[in-house]
Amino acid sequence: MSVKVEVGAGGIPHNRILIYGLVGSLILIYLTYLNTITGTQYFSFFGGLAAVAALLWGTDTIKHLCSYGLGTGVPSAGMIALGSGVIAALVGATTGIFAPIVTIIVAAIIGGVAGIMANHIVRMDIPVMIASLTELAIVGAMTVLGLAAMTAGTFQFLGLISGTIVILGFVVETYEASVIGGSIIAVIFMLGAIAIQHSFNACLGPGEKQDRTLMLAAECGFLSMIPIAIISFAFIAFLPALISLLVSVIGWFYTYMRYIELAKRDAYAWLDAQPILEPEGGA
């Protein structure tokens, strides 16, 4: 039986963050469909913002899951989230305009099954395991789909598996020059997995504060957007890729500076802190 360890009391309720993260990431991913409607690629950066919204939700989910004494389980949760997410995102991408919605449904099924296995087969017996792994699978899927859309300018499967190269002046379609064929999806997997687990892993402890943890999550999200924006120069036009890069850098700089401010605030608050008492009563 796992024992819950209380962390960072107060702040925004988790269910509210869940709603914000789910609805926000869904809307932002659908905004990338404006590329298809307008015949441009200027809206690709919304995919990255969708990933940031999902990562904020995922960070708070990891906080709740790992408050049951799963200190070393924080990185594992990130890998499970993105592993489940890649499968769900690729399946969902084959359904055209319904891709984001189908991705959520498939991810929820995968996460739910993983949670049931963890609790009833591995016998981890954590009360929030099934719900948390379901949430994390959706977070991972939306992160993958969002960053993939940011790279290719679309979340539809055909756009993720097709690319072009020039041979002797002729434009030739090729699978290898695509987001999936070029293994960019693997880069997205690692960037998302690191981003989703790092924030709480870095901030956990008796002085953990929700606003600082979530600000670091946003910073990690924008930081992950930067290499994706750079990679997108190979797949979309120069100006849309440049816009994505500018949004990523500006977002990262702002959230990084805010995180430093919050870190200084919490560090200063500990100057007059009392010793932490051990369960046995010792200091």
Side-chain angles (χ1 to χ4, degrees):
M1 180 68 181
S2 299
V3 178
K4 185 176 182 181
V5 180
E6 295 294 339
V7 292
I12 304 172
H14 176 68
N15 287 341
R16 188 180 302 174
I17 294 177
L18 185 160
I19 294 171
Y20 291 161
L22 178 60
V23 176
S25 60
L26 183 62
I27 292 174
L28 287 165
I29 285 182
Y30 265 117
L31 285 176
T32 64
Y33 194 72
L34 290 173
N35 286 339
T36 302
I37 295 174
T38 61
T40 66
Q41 297 172 322
Y42 294 110
F43 303 97
S44 302
F45 69 91
F46 281 114
L49 296 181
V52 173
L55 289 169
L56 286 167
W57 166 25
T59 295
D60 202 64
T61 301
I62 284 182
K63 170 181 171 178
H64 280 260
L65 174 61
C66 294
S67 65
Y68 285 84
L70 294 177
T72 57
V74 177
S76 302
M79 293 300 172
I80 290 176
L82 271 293
S84 305
V86 166
I87 298 172
L90 293 180
V91 172
T94 62
T95 60
I97 193 174
F98 301 106
I101 296 174
V102 174
T103 294
I104 291 173
I105 295 172
V106 174
I109 294 172
I110 295 174
V113 171
I116 291 171
M117 292 177 65
N119 259 7
H120 300 292
I121 297 179
V122 183
R123 303 296 300 174
M124 296 186 75
D125 295 327
I126 296 175
V128 298
M129 176 64 80
I130 297 175
S132 294
L133 288 190
T134 300
E135 290 181 35
L136 287 174
I138 298 174
V139 168
M142 299 303 274
T143 300
V144 170
L145 195 64
L147 292 179
M150 180 180 175
T151 308
T154 179
F155 52 69
Q156 299 187 64
F157 193 70
L158 184 60
L160 299 178
I161 63 169
S162 60
T164 59
I165 58 174
V166 178
I167 301 177
L168 299 176
F170 295 96
V171 178
V172 180
E173 288 195 2
T174 174
Y175 169 76
E176 287 78 7
S178 66
V179 171
I180 295 177
S183 298
I184 306 304
I185 204 76
V187 178
I188 291 173
F189 170 89
M190 288 308 303
L191 288 173
I194 293 171
I196 196 175
Q197 60 87 14
H198 172 69
S199 304
F200 182 63
N201 213 27
C203 296
L204 63 82
E208 189 269 342
K209 294 291 187 293
Q210 187 190 62
D211 58 349
R212 174 163 53 94
T213 301
L214 294 183
M215 187 59 66
L216 182 56
E219 185 267 338
C220 288
F222 282 111
L223 185 61
S224 296
M225 284 177 63
I226 293 176
I228 294 300
I230 294 172
I231 291 171
S232 71
F233 279 94
F235 298 97
I236 61 177
F238 177 82
L239 190 54
L242 181 61
I243 292 173
S244 293
L245 182 59
L246 289 175
V247 170
S248 304
V249 171
I250 292 171
W252 169 78
F253 182 78
Y254 172 77
T255 52
Y256 176 77
M257 296 305 295
R258 285 288 296 133
Y259 171 71
I260 294 299
E261 291 177 8
L262 294 173
K264 289 180 178 179
R265 177 203 67 185
D266 294 341
Y268 179 78
W270 271 88
L271 289 177
D272 297 322
Q274 298 298 316
I276 301 172
L277 299 180
E278 299 293 337
E280 295 79 14

